[in-house]
Amino acid sequence: MPRRLVSAIMLTLLLISMLTLTIGTQPVEAVGTIYIRANGSVDPPTAPISTLDNVTYTFTYHIYKSIVVERSNIIIDGEGYTVQGDGSGRGFSLYGIGNVTIKSTNIKGFLSGIFFYSSSNNKVTDNSITANDDGIEITDSSNNNISGNSITANNGPGIFFARSSNSIISGNTIANNNYGIFLHSSSNTNNITGNTIRTNEYHGIVLDSSSNNSINGNIVTANNYGIAITDSSNNTLRDNVMAGNKYNFDVWGLAPTHFVNDVDVSNTVDGKPI
C-alpha cells in the first residue's frame, strides 16, 4: 500500500478518535423544565443533578432551564454551577413545598431567580442571584430564611415579599437592584438583620403596608431612599446605619397609626442619631 495512502488513513482514524472522545466528554445540557418530583426522581433523568438518597441533590454541571421543586425536606446544592435563563420563567419554583434548602448556586436571567408560593420553612443561602427581573420573590409564605446571598443587578427588587411573614433576611449583600428589600401587602413580623444594602436605584429597604417587623443592624448606603416606611405601623428599628442616600429615612402614611413605629437613637443618618 502506498505510503501516502497509509498516512492518510492513519490521520483520518486519529481525527475520528479525537472527535468521538470530544463528543463523549461533553456535559449534558438540560432540555425543557427540570423537575425534582415528589417521589424523589429527577425529571428528565439526563439533567445534570445527582442524588444518592433523594435528600441531597447536587449539580454536576450548569443548567440552562427552570427548575420546579415538588419534593419537601431536601437540600439542593448547586456546587457553584449556574442556572441560566433566557429572560423568562423562574430559576427555582416552589409551590406548597417546605423545608427545602437552596445553596451555592449562581442564578441569572429569569423573571424571578427564586419563587416561593405558599411555601414555608425553606432556606436560601450562599447563592449569587443576579441579572433577573426579581431576585427572590416570596408570596403567601412564612418562616423562610434568606441568608448570606449576593443579590445584585436585578431589574426589580432584590428581595420581594407579598403577604409573607415570620421570616429572616440576614447577612445578604444587596446591591444595584431596582429596590433592595421590598416588604409589601401585610408582610408582617419579619426580621431584617445585618444586611449590606447599597446603590439600589430606588429604596434600600421599604415597608409598604407591613407591620411588626424588626429591622436591625443593616448598613444602607448610596440608595435613592435608605429606609422608607409607608402605611405601616409597629415596626422596630435598631442599630441601622444610613449614609449617603439621597433621602436617608422616610415615613409616610394616611392614618395616625402609620406613624407609630419604634425608632431609637441607635439608628444613624450620616453619622448622626435619629
Side-chain angles (χ1 to χ4, degrees), residues 9-243:
I9 291 171
M10 291 179 65
L11 179 60
T12 301
L13 291 173
L14 178 61
L15 289 172
I16 292 171
S17 176
M18 291 175 65
L19 180 61
T20 303
L21 179 61
T22 301
I23 293 172
T25 57
Q26 286 296 311
V28 176
E29 180 176 319
V31 177
T33 301
I34 296 171
Y35 297 86
I36 299 177
R37 297 295 189 184
N39 65 6
S41 65
V42 177
D43 180 13
T46 55
I49 301 175
S50 69
T51 181
L52 298 176
D53 54 9
N54 293 343
V55 174
T56 299
Y57 292 79
T58 304
F59 284 21
T60 58
Y61 194 65
H62 305 298
I63 291 174
Y64 297 93
K65 298 295 179 181
S66 299
I67 300 171
V68 176
V69 181
E70 298 179 343
R71 182 174 176 83
S72 296
N73 304 308
I74 63 172
I75 298 169
I76 302 172
D77 186 349
E79 284 284 338
Y81 287 113
T82 297
V83 181
Q84 173 77 57
D86 61 2
S88 63
R90 292 166 172 140
F92 288 90
S93 298
L94 280 67
Y95 300 87
I97 299 299
N99 195 31
V100 171
T101 295
I102 300 171
K103 68 176 186 176
S104 303
T105 308
N106 302 310
I107 306 165
K108 61 176 65 177
F110 294 95
L111 291 178
S112 297
I114 295 175
F115 177 75
F116 292 171
Y117 180 80
S118 191
S119 296
S120 300
N121 300 301
N122 300 292
K123 187 173 184 179
V124 178
T125 184
D126 296 326
N127 301 283
S128 173
I129 303 169
T130 187
N132 305 282
D133 274 10
D134 293 347
I136 299 173
E137 182 182 354
I138 296 182
T139 301
D140 293 329
S141 301
S142 63
N143 296 294
N144 295 293
N145 187 318
I146 302 171
S147 61
N149 303 282
S150 175
I151 305 171
T152 61
N154 297 285
N155 296 324
I159 299 173
F160 179 80
F161 277 23
R163 301 180 302 278
S164 295
S165 60
N166 297 314
S167 294
I168 296 172
I169 302 171
S170 68
N172 302 283
T173 297
I174 305 170
N176 301 317
N177 307 285
N178 190 306
Y179 292 88
I181 299 172
F182 197 134
L183 270 54
H184 176 63
S185 187
S186 298
S187 291
N188 303 324
T189 60
N190 297 289
N191 192 320
I192 302 172
T193 301
N195 301 281
T196 299
I197 304 167
R198 63 174 185 268
T199 56
N200 296 284
E201 184 177 2
Y202 295 118
H203 295 75
I205 300 173
V206 57
L207 308 182
D208 179 33
S209 301
S210 298
S211 299
N212 298 296
N213 297 286
S214 295
I215 304 176
N216 303 311
N218 301 282
I219 300 173
V220 186
T221 59
N223 308 279
N224 190 30
Y225 282 85
I227 298 176
I229 302 174
T230 301
D231 292 334
S232 304
S233 59
N234 297 313
N235 297 288
T236 301
L237 278 68
R238 294 288 186 273
D239 298 306
N240 298 288
V241 174
M242 291 163 270

